[in-house]
Amino acid sequence: MNIFRLAGDLSHLLAIILLLIKIWKTRSCAGISGKSQILFAVVYISRYLDLVTTFVSVYNTVMKLVFIVSSVATLYMMYVKFKATYDHNHDSFRIEFLLVPCFVLALLIHAAFTPLEILWTFSIYLEAVAILPQLFLVSKTGEAESITSHYLFALGSYRALYLLNWIYRYYAEGHYDLIAIFAGAIQTILYCDFFYLYITKVLKGKKLQLPA
Amino acid sequence: IDEEEGHDEL
């Protein structure tokens, strides 16, 4: 564990907590893509199946459980409890266009052809693009509430910090995982446009609004 | 991947 990895994990945790607080406090999931949240739940569940086969550390186990439980709780809030506030019409991204190619890619490019490893690889590829429905929703409505912007910033920062962690681990431990590094770089690149808007608008107290 | 330890990151 190094400072980049810890900061990345905490940023990820912060993102999830921000999202749950936003939905709970405003009693609304307006502006949040249920499609992205479905993809994140699929990511965590398919990646953390190793909870039952491999013990890494208490920290690792607790974080995995938190990510799975919070993603399912978010889905419950969006599709059951605050269903009426969910923005169906704008959240029209077709997730099968992400799910199927990621699964096929995982079957083709992986470290080992075992069910758990294929699912882990699938989750890594899927996580890289899981935010696309959310970014698509923001682009369709042309704006995002400030707490939604903070959520996206924390979520994007997490993988960017992991990139630093992987650079550190390569030099410090000789450890590297090309699949995770490649997907993590794609994931971070997808947020760049949003990072720019966040820094130039939201941090200056303005609402995140896209030019018409 | 390390056969013994699996994936140690989140």
Side-chain angles (χ1 to χ4, degrees), chain A residues 66-181:
Chain A
V66 168
F67 290 147
I68 292 174
V69 170
S70 60
S71 68
V72 172
T74 305
L75 286 183
Y76 170 77
M77 297 242 239
M78 294 197 72
Y79 287 97
V80 182
K81 195 158 175 66
F82 303 120
K83 192 177 181 219
T85 64
Y86 170 49
D87 202 354
H88 272 285
N89 296 330
H90 288 120
D91 194 17
S92 50
F93 198 99
R94 300 273 300 269
I95 53 173
E96 56 272 35
F97 292 154
L98 299 176
L99 284 165
V100 175
C102 286
F103 195 73
V104 171
L105 194 62
L107 289 174
L108 296 173
I109 305 174
H110 48 254
F113 196 75
T114 62
L116 273 189
E117 190 59 22
I118 296 290
L119 285 170
W120 179 87
T121 312
F122 163 67
S123 83
I124 291 286
Y125 295 150
L126 186 62
E127 185 188 348
V129 293
I131 201 60
L132 286 176
Q134 178 66 55
L135 296 177
F136 182 70
L137 174 61
V138 172
S139 75
K140 263 201 145 184
T141 57
E143 59 180 35
E145 286 175 50
S146 66
I147 193 156
T148 305
S149 303
H150 299 325
Y151 159 69
L152 283 169
F153 186 75
L155 194 62
S157 305
Y158 135 72
R159 223 49 176 175
L161 288 160
Y162 257 71
L163 288 179
L164 298 178
N165 156 55
W166 290 324
I167 292 168
Y168 176 88
R169 289 191 72 175
Y170 176 72
Y171 287 108
E173 305 163 24
H175 168 98
Y176 66 96
D177 183 330
L178 285 178
I179 288 173
I181 292 169

Side-chain angles (χ1 to χ4, degrees), chain A residues 54 60 117 120 162 165-166 169, chain B residues 1 4-10:
Chain A
T54 317
N60 193 280
E117 190 59 22
W120 179 87
Y162 257 71
N165 156 55
W166 290 324
R169 289 191 72 175
Chain B
I1 60 157
E4 297 278 298
E5 295 173 25
H7 302 283
D8 64 349
E9 290 175 341
L10 295 167

